[in-house]
Amino acid sequence: MKVLVIGGGAREHALCRSLSLDPDVTALHCAPGNAGIAEVAQLHPVDAMDGAAVARLATELEARLVVVGPEAPLVAGVADAVRDAGIACFGPSAEAARLEGSKAFAKDVMAAASVPTGRSYVCTTPEEIDKALDAFGAPFVVKDDGLAAGKGVVVTDDIVAAREHALACGRVVIEEFLDGPEVSLFAVTDGRTVLPLRPAQDFKRALDGDEGPNTGGMGAYSPLPWADPKLVDEVLETVLQPTVDELRRRGTPFAGLLYAGLAITGRGVRVIEFNARFGDPETQVVLARLRTPLAGVLLAAAEERLADQPSLVWRDDAAVTVVVASHNYPGTPRTGDPIEGLADVVAQDAPHAYVLHAGTRLADDGSTVLSAGGRVLSVTATGKDLGQARERAYAAVDRIRLDGSQHRTDIAREAAEA
Ligand code: AMP
Ligand code: GLY
């Protein structure tokens, strides 16, 4: 089948890599892509946010399946435009993607479906904000209601900073602080049947030891040796299935990837957030462990046939991914620097470790790869356990040279030592 992937980050590179290894995929296209995706897919300079242009491209290419990666096009209705053109699309409608696009909407769905989450208030006035901050006390959790590219959430002990962020948001969700390790659990769903993937853990802070500012994610690993083996079943039963059922009941079924961001608190599992797409960088480690060819699963979800899909098959391997970011990320990143050592990783670390590109582009010479964003690339590695996967990932990271770049050195360390 011919497949078109929309987006151009490391998540889309991971998706394209898996799809390119799937014997059922006869042609792979990506728009807009990046310098790494260009090695496995044909790129098209089409704006991911332009639903009509994406649908036109999919029609021209005679794509059997379109996979929309990032949240912004989903919330903007790009999946709807593709489906309206009669082409199967993996990714929720704009209505269903509000689960990620509006924190207040997500809270409303969770309340209706009795899904465990932090208590919260939706506030629009300074009076409501002060009342909510007083009610919960420190640490304060203040979330912009809308999409904010990972910058909408402030967790702080400082009431002045909390109030300032809340006032700047307009509509804001103020929430109880949830203490405990975080888990990302993804599920593929066709709006009725829910197929959970393997859990992963993400590292959100920029610096070692979970210091520094929040980022889009600096690394991830899977499996989670410390997690309760019943976690996935429990989350399926108490979180994923009820949420999918509630959205179907409302007449806006969610078909695509449902991402539950969870806190494992002393009082049980709580949802921190939902996302309407694969997470980055967790996708890199989850897909590295998936043995079942990906295209058939995504197509079955897009065509409401997941109930007939055989169980997913997983490798025993562990996987670790380490993000290499530009100088100054998550502030305004420095870009345009050459990235060296990529060929050394291919020569010395493949197939156990490989590079997935995020913010990269090809220089005019057609061969030099340049940095072009905050998160530049992620190195993903597999191994018999987390320790071996970590060693392989960091060996490959050490071969990559990008002036001023930064990465965390403690991804999966604690879990590997446990
Ligand atoms: P989000 O943008 O919703 O993924 O939130 C970013 C990060 O903020 C999460 O990964 C958590 O680390 C933290 N966070 C969000 N909500 C809470 C909460 N209620 N309690 C504690 N930390 C939170
Ligand atoms: N890794 C966090 C996210 O994708 O939102």
Side-chain angles (χ1 to χ4, degrees):
M1 76 176 97
K2 296 180 182 172
V3 182
L4 169 62
V5 175
I6 302 303
R11 161 188 44 221
E12 286 75 31
H13 194 175
L15 287 164
C16 283
R17 180 177 185 275
S18 291
L19 291 166
S20 74
L21 298 172
D22 183 336
D24 285 338
V25 175
T26 51
L28 185 58
H29 298 268
C30 185
N34 61 36
I37 297 174
E39 291 169 16
V40 291
Q42 190 182 338
L43 302 193
H44 302 269
V46 166
D47 180 1
M49 294 296 290
D50 185 341
V54 169
R56 207 159 41 239
L57 175 65
T59 306
E60 273 165 29
L61 296 172
E62 299 181 331
R64 175 81 167 83
L65 173 68
V66 176
V67 180
V68 181
E71 63 274 20
L74 290 167
V75 171
V78 169
D80 304 85
V82 172
R83 275 191 283 269
D84 287 348
I87 297 168
C89 187
F90 183 81
S93 66
E95 282 285 338
R98 287 178 69 210
L99 210 51
E100 174 166 3
S102 164
K103 307 249 184 220
F105 177 78
K107 286 290 187 189
D108 185 59
V109 170
M110 284 190 268
S114 301
V115 169
T117 184
R119 287 176 298 124
S120 65
Y121 296 102
V122 181
C123 309
T124 48
T125 67
E127 293 73 30
E128 287 171 351
I129 288 168
D130 284 335
K131 217 170 129 195
L133 293 174
D134 278 351
F136 290 129
F140 303 100
V141 180
V142 181
K143 303 183 169 186
D144 195 332
D145 180 44
L147 278 190
K151 301 207 167 72
V153 178
V154 167
V155 181
T156 177
D157 284 324
D158 178 355
I159 188 152
V160 178
R163 187 180 289 123
E164 209 167 273
H165 180 62
L167 289 170
C169 289
R171 198 166 136 98
V172 68
V173 174
I174 295 179
E175 188 177 83
E176 122 186 65
F177 180 78
L178 298 170
D179 204 9
E182 288 179 38
V183 171
S184 301
L185 183 63
F186 303 162
V188 172
T189 176
D190 58 7
R192 189 177 295 272
T193 302
V194 182
L195 215 55
L197 308 187
R198 290 284 155 99
Q201 192 172 46
D202 178 16
F203 292 73
K204 294 246 160 138
R205 300 283 183 149
L207 305 175
D208 282 5
D210 290 331
E211 302 285 338
N214 247 318
T215 71
M218 295 299 288
Y221 68 93
S222 177
L224 312 180
W226 50 268
D228 183 340
K230 295 194 292 292
L231 179 71
V232 173
D233 287 344
E234 183 193 335
V235 176
L236 174 61
E237 193 183 316
T238 62
V239 173
L240 299 166
Q241 190 71 55
T243 301
V244 166
D245 290 345
E246 172 62 18
L247 284 166
R248 189 176 70 250
R249 193 190 64 74
R250 292 179 181 212
T252 53
F254 185 105
L257 195 289
L258 178 57
Y259 165 145
L262 307 162
I264 315 298
T265 76
R267 289 174 295 133
V269 173
R270 297 284 183 277
V271 174
I272 288 189
E273 60 163 350
F274 281 127
N275 291 318
R277 36 93 194 160
F278 282 97
D280 186 351
E282 299 97 309
T283 301
Q284 288 87 308
V285 288
V286 173
L287 292 185
R289 301 185 61 216
L290 179 65
R291 197 186 287 276
T292 305
L294 185 61
V297 180
L298 302 186
L299 184 65
E303 294 183 335
E304 286 186 69
R305 291 188 284 101
L306 263 192
D308 307 328
Q309 173 70 27
S311 301
L312 297 175
V313 183
W314 298 90
R315 294 178 209 283
D316 291 332
D317 290 356
V320 171
T321 193
V322 178
V323 171
V324 175
S326 297
H327 180 71
N328 205 40
Y329 176 76
T332 308
R334 194 172 101 197
T335 59
D337 294 301
I339 304 165
E340 288 166 40
L342 295 170
D344 300 337
V345 175
V346 176
Q348 298 184 49
D349 304 297
H352 302 298
Y354 47 88
V355 172
L356 296 169
H357 291 228
T360 68
R361 67 180 175 85
L362 270 187
D364 292 340
D365 67 7
S367 62
T368 310
V369 178
L370 301 175
S371 62
R375 289 191 292 178
V376 177
L377 53 86
S378 62
V379 174
T380 303
T382 54
K384 64 180 185 334
D385 53 28
L386 287 173
Q388 189 180 44
R390 258 193 111 234
E391 271 169 36
R392 286 171 168 169
Y394 279 110
V397 166
D398 285 343
R399 286 186 234 287
I400 293 169
R401 291 175 303 281
L402 168 63
D403 198 31
S405 72
Q406 42 166 332
H407 63 266
R408 279 182 63 157
T409 67
D410 62 349
I411 302 302
R413 185 165 61 203
E414 243 180 79
E417 285 167 1

